[in-house]
Amino acid sequence: MTSDALRVRDLQKLGAGIGVTVLDGMSFTVPRGSICGMVGPNGAGKSTTLRVVMGLVFAKGSIEILGAPTPMSRATKERVAFVPETRTLYPFAKAGEMIRLTRSFYPAWDAALERRLVDDFAIPLDEQCKRLSKGMLARLWLVLVLCRNADLLMLDEASDGLDPAALDLLQRTLIQQVADRGATVLFSTHQLADVEQIADRVVIVDRGRCVMEGAIDDLRQRYRVVRCALDDEREPAPAALASWRRDGRFLTGLSGDDPSVLADALTHAGARVVDAQPASLKDLFLAQVGRLA
């Protein structure tokens, strides 16, 4: 059995406009039993990637889900749960009816978790879906997805519309599903705080590509935010530091080089290290999308 719950390789997808590329070689891996946060700027390709994985839109490339290639078989679909960015349900159905209908399709449905989430989320079972607020609709979707006992949970901006208490409940439930059942979670978000709170792995995407992925602790140990100074502010920046932010004779950027090796290289280039600090998740993100300040 493969150790990966999801493998995405070289997804290519053009947009509606001429010359518009939505996915440009998107590739990443999500190991089994991990909680992986996918982050990126608006329009980076997060939602499109998840929709491609689910078979809702087409893209060139290859995808392997829970050891099986796509398109997913019926057996694989029963092991995967997805919360889409746009959340709609039958408008005239009541919340309780949607739960009962969904429950009937999934033999592994967790009835005990359903009762707990309905109570903790305060789901109005007799209310029609069309009358639910954005936040309550988001909560209902989570009940419909989390109770399936899926091996792979994919959530697209699932925290959108949740208040802090509901978000805390979602995060605790996801952690519990991973700890108790060995489930795997992949969630996209605009909030780095969500990733820092529960994720052990991150996938950073930009312009339709994965620009960095890995275990968060490993990335923090490997990379440092380095500030160095040139001997003369009139000197051009060393070629290796051309992409670093410059302020007079000072340069700031992200480096994965060994500190002593970097210091020696900068010395030969007429610069010296002023400060080097372990990179935060924010530093990693801003550096990869070209906005490290």
Side-chain angles (χ1 to χ4, degrees), residues 230 232-237 244-251:
L230 301 174
D232 188 336
E233 67 177 20
R234 294 169 297 181
E235 293 180 5
W244 287 22
R245 182 179 65 83
R246 182 164 184 172
D247 183 12
R249 68 188 186 95
F250 293 99
L251 296 166

Side-chain angles (χ1 to χ4, degrees), residues 91-109:
F92 294 101
K94 296 179 180 179
E97 293 172 337
M98 285 304 311
I99 293 174
R100 289 193 294 273
L101 175 64
T102 306
R103 184 200 302 147
S104 68
F105 288 103
Y106 296 94
W109 185 271

